[in-house]
Coordinates of all heavy atoms in Angstrom, one line a residue:
N104 N -18.1 54.7 12.0 CA -18.5 54.5 13.4 C -17.4 54.9 14.3 O -16.8 54.0 14.9 CB -19.1 53.1 13.6 CG -20.5 52.9 13.2 OD1 -21.2 53.8 13.0 ND2 -20.8 51.7 12.9
T105 N -17.2 56.1 14.5 CA -16.2 56.6 15.4 C -16.8 56.4 16.8 O -17.9 56.0 17.0 CB -15.9 58.1 15.3 OG1 -17.2 58.8 15.5 CG2 -15.4 58.4 13.9
A106 N -15.9 56.5 17.9 CA -16.4 56.3 19.2 C -17.6 57.2 19.5 O -18.6 56.8 20.1 CB -15.3 56.6 20.2
K107 N -17.5 58.5 19.1 CA -18.6 59.4 19.4 C -19.9 59.0 18.6 O -21.0 59.0 19.2 CB -18.2 60.8 19.0 CG -19.3 61.9 19.2 CD -18.7 63.3 18.8 CE -19.8 64.3 19.1 NZ -21.0 64.3 18.3
R108 N -19.7 58.6 17.3 CA -20.9 58.2 16.5 C -21.5 57.0 17.0 O -22.7 56.7 17.1 CB -20.5 58.2 15.1 CG -21.8 57.9 14.2 CD -21.5 58.2 12.7 NE -21.2 59.6 12.5 CZ -22.1 60.5 12.4 NH1 -23.4 60.2 12.5 NH2 -21.8 61.8 12.1
S109 N -20.6 56.0 17.5 CA -21.1 54.7 18.0 C -22.0 55.0 19.2 O -23.1 54.3 19.4 CB -20.0 53.8 18.3 OG -19.3 53.4 17.2
K110 N -21.6 55.8 20.1 CA -22.4 56.2 21.3 C -23.7 56.8 20.9 O -24.8 56.4 21.4 CB -21.6 57.1 22.2 CG -22.3 57.4 23.5 CD -21.5 58.2 24.4 CE -22.2 58.6 25.7 NZ -22.7 57.4 26.5
E111 N -23.7 57.7 19.9 CA -25.0 58.2 19.4 C -25.9 57.2 18.8 O -27.1 57.2 19.0 CB -24.6 59.4 18.4 CG -23.9 60.6 19.0 CD -23.4 61.5 17.9 OE1 -23.5 61.2 16.7 OE2 -23.0 62.6 18.2
N112 N -25.3 56.3 18.0 CA -26.1 55.3 17.4 C -26.7 54.3 18.4 O -27.9 53.9 18.2 CB -25.2 54.5 16.4 CG -24.8 55.3 15.2 OD1 -25.5 56.3 14.8 ND2 -23.8 54.8 14.5
V113 N -26.0 54.0 19.4 CA -26.5 53.1 20.5 C -27.6 53.8 21.2 O -28.7 53.2 21.5 CB -25.4 52.6 21.4 CG1 -25.9 52.0 22.7 CG2 -24.5 51.6 20.7
A114 N -27.4 55.1 21.6 CA -28.4 55.8 22.3 C -29.7 55.9 21.5 O -30.8 55.9 22.0 CB -27.8 57.2 22.6
F115 N -29.6 56.0 20.2 CA -30.8 56.2 19.3 C -31.7 55.0 19.5 O -32.9 55.2 19.5 CB -30.3 56.2 17.8 CG -31.4 56.4 16.8 CD1 -31.8 57.6 16.4 CD2 -32.0 55.3 16.3 CE1 -32.8 57.8 15.5 CE2 -33.1 55.4 15.4 CZ -33.5 56.7 15.0
H116 N -31.2 53.8 19.7 CA -32.0 52.6 19.8 C -32.3 52.2 21.3 O -33.4 52.0 21.7 CB -31.4 51.4 19.1 CG -32.3 50.2 19.0 ND1 -33.3 50.1 18.0 CD2 -32.4 49.2 19.7 CE1 -33.9 49.0 18.2 NE2 -33.4 48.4 19.2
Y117 N -31.2 52.1 22.1 CA -31.3 51.5 23.4 C -31.7 52.5 24.5 O -32.2 52.1 25.5 CB -29.9 50.9 23.8 CG -29.6 49.7 22.9 CD1 -28.7 49.8 21.8 CD2 -30.2 48.4 23.2 CE1 -28.5 48.7 21.0 CE2 -29.9 47.4 22.4 CZ -29.1 47.5 21.3 OH -28.8 46.4 20.5
D118 N -31.5 53.8 24.2 CA -31.9 54.7 25.3 C -33.3 55.3 25.0 O -33.6 56.4 25.5 CB -30.9 55.9 25.4 CG -29.6 55.4 26.0 OD1 -29.6 54.2 26.6 OD2 -28.6 56.1 26.0
I119 N -34.2 54.6 24.3 CA -35.5 54.9 24.2 C -36.1 55.0 25.6 O -37.0 55.7 25.9 CB -36.3 53.9 23.3 CG1 -35.8 54.0 21.9 CG2 -37.8 54.2 23.4 CD1 -36.4 52.9 21.0
G120 N -35.6 54.1 26.5 CA -36.0 54.1 27.9 C -36.3 52.7 28.4 O -36.8 51.8 27.7
N121 N -35.7 52.4 29.6 CA -35.8 51.1 30.2 C -37.3 50.7 30.3 O -37.7 49.5 30.2 CB -35.1 51.0 31.5 CG -33.6 51.0 31.4 OD1 -33.1 50.8 30.3 ND2 -32.9 51.2 32.5
D122 N -38.1 51.7 30.6 CA -39.6 51.5 30.9 C -40.2 50.9 29.6 O -41.1 50.0 29.7 CB -40.2 52.7 31.3 CG -39.9 53.2 32.7 OD1 -39.3 52.3 33.5 OD2 -40.1 54.3 33.1
F123 N -39.8 51.4 28.4 CA -40.3 50.9 27.2 C -39.9 49.4 27.0 O -40.8 48.5 26.7 CB -39.8 51.7 26.0 CG -40.2 51.1 24.7 CD1 -41.5 51.0 24.2 CD2 -39.2 50.6 23.8 CE1 -41.8 50.5 23.0 CE2 -39.4 50.1 22.6 CZ -40.8 50.0 22.2
Y124 N -38.7 49.1 27.1 CA -38.2 47.7 26.9 C -38.8 46.7 28.0 O -39.1 45.6 27.7 CB -36.7 47.7 26.9 CG -36.1 48.2 25.6 CD1 -35.5 49.5 25.6 CD2 -36.2 47.5 24.4 CE1 -35.0 50.0 24.5 CE2 -35.7 48.1 23.3 CZ -35.1 49.3 23.3 OH -34.6 49.8 22.1
K125 N -39.0 47.2 29.2 CA -39.6 46.4 30.3 C -40.9 45.9 29.9 O -41.4 44.8 30.3 CB -39.6 47.1 31.6 CG -38.3 47.2 32.3 CD -38.6 48.1 33.6 CE -37.3 48.3 34.4 NZ -37.5 49.2 35.5
L126 N -41.7 46.6 29.1 CA -43.0 46.3 28.7 C -43.1 45.0 27.9 O -44.0 44.2 28.1 CB -43.7 47.4 27.9 CG -44.0 48.7 28.6 CD1 -44.5 49.7 27.6 CD2 -45.0 48.5 29.7
W127 N -42.1 44.7 27.1 CA -42.3 43.6 26.2 C -41.1 42.5 26.2 O -41.2 41.5 25.6 CB -42.6 44.0 24.7 CG -41.6 45.0 24.2 CD1 -41.7 46.3 24.4 CD2 -40.4 44.7 23.4 NE1 -40.6 47.0 23.7 CE2 -39.8 46.0 23.1 CE3 -39.8 43.6 22.9 CZ2 -38.7 46.1 22.4 CZ3 -38.7 43.7 22.2 CH2 -38.1 44.9 21.9
L128 N -39.9 42.9 26.8 CA -38.9 41.9 27.0 C -39.3 41.1 28.2 O -40.2 41.3 28.9 CB -37.6 42.7 27.3 CG -36.9 43.4 26.1 CD1 -35.6 44.1 26.6 CD2 -36.7 42.6 24.9
D129 N -38.5 40.0 28.4 CA -38.8 39.1 29.5 C -38.2 39.8 30.8 O -37.6 40.8 30.7 CB -38.2 37.7 29.3 CG -36.7 37.8 29.3 OD1 -36.1 38.3 28.3 OD2 -36.1 37.3 30.3
E130 N -38.4 39.1 31.9 CA -38.0 39.7 33.2 C -36.5 39.9 33.3 O -36.0 40.7 34.1 CB -38.4 38.8 34.3 CG -39.9 38.7 34.5 CD -40.5 37.5 33.7 OE1 -40.1 37.2 32.6 OE2 -41.4 36.8 34.3
T131 N -35.7 39.2 32.5 CA -34.2 39.3 32.6 C -33.8 40.5 31.7 O -32.6 40.8 31.8 CB -33.5 38.0 32.0 OG1 -33.7 38.0 30.6 CG2 -34.0 36.8 32.7
M132 N -34.6 41.2 31.0 CA -34.3 42.3 30.2 C -33.2 41.9 29.2 O -32.3 42.7 28.9 CB -33.9 43.5 31.0 CG -35.0 44.1 31.8 SD -36.1 45.1 30.7 CE -35.1 46.6 30.5
T133 N -33.3 40.8 28.6 CA -32.3 40.3 27.6 C -32.9 40.6 26.2 O -33.9 40.2 25.8 CB -32.1 38.8 27.8 OG1 -31.7 38.5 29.1 CG2 -31.0 38.3 26.8
Y134 N -32.1 41.4 25.5 CA -32.5 41.9 24.2 C -31.6 41.3 23.1 O -30.9 42.0 22.4 CB -32.4 43.4 24.2 CG -33.1 44.0 23.0 CD1 -34.1 43.4 22.2 CD2 -32.6 45.3 22.5 CE1 -34.7 44.1 21.1 CE2 -33.2 45.9 21.4 CZ -34.2 45.3 20.8 OH -34.8 45.9 19.7
S135 N -31.6 39.9 23.0 CA -30.9 39.2 22.0 C -31.5 37.8 21.8 O -32.5 37.5 22.5 CB -29.4 39.1 22.3 OG -29.2 38.5 23.6
C136 N -31.0 37.1 20.9 CA -31.6 35.8 20.6 C -31.7 34.8 21.8 O -30.7 34.6 22.4 CB -30.8 35.1 19.4 SG -31.3 33.5 19.0
G137 N -32.9 34.3 22.0 CA -33.0 33.2 23.0 C -32.6 31.9 22.5 O -32.1 31.7 21.3
Y138 N -32.6 30.9 23.4 CA -32.2 29.5 23.0 C -33.3 28.5 23.5 O -33.4 28.4 24.8 CB -30.8 29.2 23.7 CG -30.2 27.9 23.3 CD1 -29.8 27.6 22.0 CD2 -30.0 26.9 24.3 CE1 -29.2 26.4 21.6 CE2 -29.4 25.7 24.0 CZ -29.0 25.4 22.7 OH -28.5 24.2 22.3
F139 N -34.1 28.0 22.6 CA -35.2 27.2 23.0 C -34.8 25.7 23.0 O -34.8 25.1 21.9 CB -36.3 27.5 22.0 CG -36.9 28.8 22.1 CD1 -36.3 29.9 21.4 CD2 -38.0 29.1 22.8 CE1 -36.8 31.2 21.5 CE2 -38.5 30.4 22.9 CZ -37.9 31.4 22.2
K140 N -34.6 25.2 24.2 CA -34.3 23.7 24.3 C -35.6 23.0 24.0 O -35.4 21.8 23.5 CB -33.9 23.5 25.8 CG -32.5 23.9 26.1 CD -32.1 23.4 27.5 CE -30.7 23.8 27.9 NZ -30.3 23.3 29.2
N141 N -36.7 23.5 24.3 CA -38.0 22.9 24.0 C -38.8 23.9 23.2 O -38.8 25.1 23.6 CB -38.7 22.5 25.3 CG -37.9 21.4 26.0 OD1 -37.6 20.3 25.6 ND2 -37.4 21.8 27.2
P142 N -39.7 23.5 22.3 CA -40.4 24.4 21.5 C -41.4 25.3 22.3 O -41.7 26.4 21.9 CB -41.3 23.5 20.6 CG -40.5 22.3 20.5 CD -39.8 22.1 21.8
D143 N -41.8 24.8 23.5 CA -42.8 25.5 24.3 C -42.1 26.3 25.5 O -42.8 26.7 26.4 CB -43.8 24.5 24.9 CG -43.3 23.4 25.7 OD1 -42.0 23.3 25.7 OD2 -44.1 22.7 26.3
D144 N -40.8 26.4 25.4 CA -40.1 27.2 26.5 C -40.6 28.6 26.4 O -40.9 29.2 25.4 CB -38.6 27.3 26.2 CG -37.8 26.0 26.6 OD1 -38.4 25.3 27.4 OD2 -36.7 25.8 26.2
S145 N -40.8 29.2 27.6 CA -41.2 30.6 27.7 C -40.0 31.5 27.2 O -38.9 31.0 27.1 CB -41.6 31.0 29.1 OG -40.4 31.0 29.9
L146 N -40.3 32.7 27.0 CA -39.2 33.7 26.5 C -38.1 33.8 27.7 O -37.0 33.8 27.3 CB -39.8 35.0 26.2 CG -38.8 36.1 25.7 CD1 -38.0 35.6 24.5 CD2 -39.6 37.4 25.5
K147 N -38.6 33.9 28.9 CA -37.6 34.0 30.0 C -36.8 32.8 30.1 O -35.5 32.9 30.2 CB -38.4 34.2 31.3 CG -37.4 34.3 32.5 CD -38.2 34.5 33.8 CE -37.3 34.6 35.0 NZ -38.0 34.7 36.3
T148 N -37.3 31.6 29.9 CA -36.6 30.3 30.0 C -35.6 30.3 28.8 O -34.4 29.9 29.0 CB -37.5 29.1 29.9 OG1 -38.4 29.2 31.0 CG2 -36.7 27.8 29.8
A149 N -36.0 30.7 27.6 CA -35.2 30.7 26.5 C -34.0 31.6 26.7 O -32.8 31.3 26.3 CB -35.9 31.1 25.2
Q150 N -34.2 32.8 27.3 CA -33.1 33.7 27.5 C -32.1 33.2 28.5 O -30.9 33.3 28.4 CB -33.6 35.1 27.9 CG -34.5 35.8 26.8 CD -33.6 36.2 25.6 OE1 -32.5 35.8 25.4 NE2 -34.3 36.9 24.6
Q151 N -32.7 32.6 29.5 CA -31.8 32.0 30.6 C -31.0 30.8 30.0 O -29.9 30.6 30.3 CB -32.7 31.5 31.8 CG -33.2 32.7 32.6 CD -34.2 32.3 33.6 OE1 -34.9 31.2 33.5 NE2 -34.3 33.0 34.7
N152 N -31.7 30.1 29.1 CA -31.0 28.9 28.4 C -29.9 29.5 27.5 O -28.8 28.9 27.5 CB -32.0 28.3 27.4 CG -33.0 27.4 28.1 OD1 -32.9 27.1 29.3 ND2 -34.1 27.0 27.4
K153 N -30.1 30.6 26.9 CA -29.0 31.2 26.0 C -27.8 31.7 26.8 O -26.7 31.4 26.5 CB -29.7 32.4 25.3 CG -28.7 33.1 24.3 CD -28.0 34.3 24.9 CE -28.8 35.4 25.4 NZ -29.6 36.1 24.4
V154 N -28.1 32.3 28.0 CA -26.9 32.7 28.8 C -26.2 31.5 29.3 O -24.9 31.5 29.3 CB -27.5 33.6 30.0 CG1 -26.4 33.8 31.0 CG2 -28.0 34.9 29.5
A155 N -26.9 30.5 29.7 CA -26.2 29.3 30.2 C -25.5 28.6 29.1 O -24.4 28.1 29.3 CB -27.3 28.3 30.7
H156 N -26.0 28.6 27.9 CA -25.4 28.0 26.7 C -24.1 28.7 26.4 O -23.0 28.1 26.2 CB -26.3 28.0 25.5 CG -25.9 27.2 24.4 ND1 -25.5 25.9 24.5 CD2 -25.8 27.5 23.0 CE1 -25.2 25.4 23.3 NE2 -25.4 26.3 22.4
I157 N -24.1 30.0 26.4 CA -22.8 30.8 26.2 C -21.8 30.6 27.3 O -20.6 30.5 27.0 CB -23.2 32.3 26.0 CG1 -24.0 32.5 24.7 CG2 -22.0 33.2 26.0 CD1 -24.5 33.9 24.5
L158 N -22.3 30.6 28.5 CA -21.4 30.4 29.7 C -20.7 29.1 29.6 O -19.5 28.9 29.9 CB -22.1 30.6 31.0 CG -22.6 32.0 31.3 CD1 -23.3 32.0 32.6 CD2 -21.6 33.1 31.2
K159 N -21.4 28.0 29.1 CA -20.8 26.7 29.0 C -19.7 26.8 27.9 O -18.7 26.2 28.0 CB -21.9 25.7 28.6 CG -22.8 25.3 29.8 CD -23.9 24.3 29.3 CE -24.9 24.1 30.3 NZ -26.0 23.3 29.9
K160 N -20.1 27.5 26.8 CA -19.1 27.6 25.7 C -17.9 28.3 26.1 O -16.7 28.1 25.6 CB -19.7 28.3 24.5 CG -20.8 27.4 23.8 CD -21.3 28.2 22.5 CE -22.3 27.2 21.7 NZ -22.7 27.8 20.4

Side-chain angles (χ1 to χ4, degrees):
N104 278 336
T105 61
K107 181 176 182 294
R108 186 166 294 279
S109 292
K110 184 172 177 60
E111 292 170 352
N112 290 341
V113 167
F115 182 90
H116 188 84
Y117 293 97
D118 287 348
I119 293 173
N121 287 349
D122 289 342
F123 170 69
Y124 287 104
K125 281 179 185 175
L126 291 174
W127 53 273
L128 293 179
D129 68 289
E130 297 93 318
T131 70
M132 289 287 283
T133 305
Y134 189 28
S135 54
C136 175
Y138 185 65
F139 293 83
K140 287 185 177 181
N141 301 293
D143 57 351
D144 279 345
S145 69
L146 181 58
K147 180 181 179 181
T148 298
Q150 295 295 6
Q151 292 172 330
N152 290 344
K153 183 267 302 293
V154 168
H156 193 47
I157 290 175
L158 295 181
K159 289 175 188 176
K160 287 185 174 186

